[in-house]
Amino acid sequence: MALRLGDQVPDFTQDSTEGTINFYDWAGDNWVVLFSHPADYTPVCTTELGQVAKLQNQFADRNVKTIGLSVDSVEDHNGWMGDIEETQGHAVNFPMLADSDRRVADLYDMIHPNANDTQTVRSVFVIDPNKKLRLTLTYPASAGRNFAEILRVIDSLQLTDKFSVSTPANWNDGDDVIISPKLTDPEILAEKFPKGYTELKPYLRVTPQPNK
Ligand code: BEZ
């Protein structure tokens, strides 16, 4: 059965460009972005891997480790990495799983046979330090992903884990947030949101981002 939000993600051991990886050990106490691409030496994938390399500091700032995957070999990954650096201006600075036997692809349901029965789709799994699945995205082979959006959602997840808030459409770090409708006690509201809030509807109350 497909993984669902809140599920504990499966552990695995697989080859990678940085040697054999045991996923849980490698992840440690970090957040993880595990993402698959259809195949090495393909154009859209080349741009995606370059983008993730470029954004590596931003992932690290959020305590996030990134790990790529396709059903290609370590040798193919290593050969292709030179092309990524040459064309994208950023060397791949995170491991790429070499899932030739599809062990991980099958565990995480990354092959969608009616789209392509041999290649992984563009899956994204955001996994928290408790190894719980917090976000999934599935993109077709023809559309490269927006990794700024993945960082944005991680900002939202990390913020809403700490405060009784949620984030509105198109929110970015620093924008106003929404107070949980479950909070109604005026004393608790005053304590949790000392900057005050605006009530547009009883269920829609906005407040400045609490940690800014
Ligand atoms: C690409 O990365 O450009 C790509 C990969 C597989 C199918 C189509 C495009």
Side-chain angles (χ1 to χ4, degrees), residues 48-211:
E48 289 192 321
L49 277 285
Q51 270 301 304
V52 176
K54 179 182 173 189
L55 294 171
Q56 207 52 217
N57 286 344
Q58 296 208 42
F59 285 110
D61 286 348
R62 293 161 173 83
N63 195 29
V64 178
K65 292 173 92 170
T66 63
I67 187 164
L69 175 149
S70 71
V71 293
D72 297 292
S73 65
V74 170
E75 291 71 32
D76 279 347
H77 283 345
N78 283 334
W80 180 42
M81 277 162 72
D83 293 356
I84 295 170
E85 181 171 9
E86 179 189 329
T87 61
Q88 306 304 304
H90 297 279
V92 176
N93 44 15
F94 54 89
M96 281 199 277
L97 293 164
D99 198 38
S100 307
D101 61 4
R102 305 188 190 185
R103 189 181 313 163
V104 183
D106 287 342
L107 264 179
Y108 281 75
D109 200 24
M110 293 168 167
I111 293 179
H112 296 197
N114 291 324
N116 187 307
D117 59 5
T118 57
Q119 297 181 334
T120 42
V121 289
R122 296 187 196 281
S123 298
V124 180
F125 299 87
V126 175
I127 298 158
D128 72 16
N130 296 318
K131 311 294 177 294
K132 296 280 194 268
L133 181 63
R134 303 298 298 275
L135 170 91
T136 57
L137 291 172
T138 307
Y139 272 47
S142 53
R145 286 156 287 195
N146 183 335
F147 290 93
E149 165 63 4
I150 293 165
L151 285 165
R152 190 192 73 88
V153 183
I154 290 168
D155 283 341
S156 174
L157 287 166
Q158 294 184 344
L159 179 77
T160 59
D161 277 357
K162 286 202 188 107
F163 299 95
S164 305
V165 297
S166 48
T167 57
N170 297 337
W171 174 87
N172 280 298
D173 188 41
D175 292 348
D176 287 355
V177 298
I178 295 170
I179 296 175
S180 166
K182 286 185 195 149
L183 282 187
T184 52
D185 183 320
E187 273 183 33
I188 292 175
L189 284 165
E191 183 193 319
K192 283 184 179 279
F193 305 105
K195 295 174 196 157
Y197 61 87
T198 304
E199 182 170 309
L200 302 169
K201 290 285 176 191
Y203 58 84
L204 177 53
R205 298 167 298 174
V206 294
T207 187
Q209 186 171 321
N211 60 349

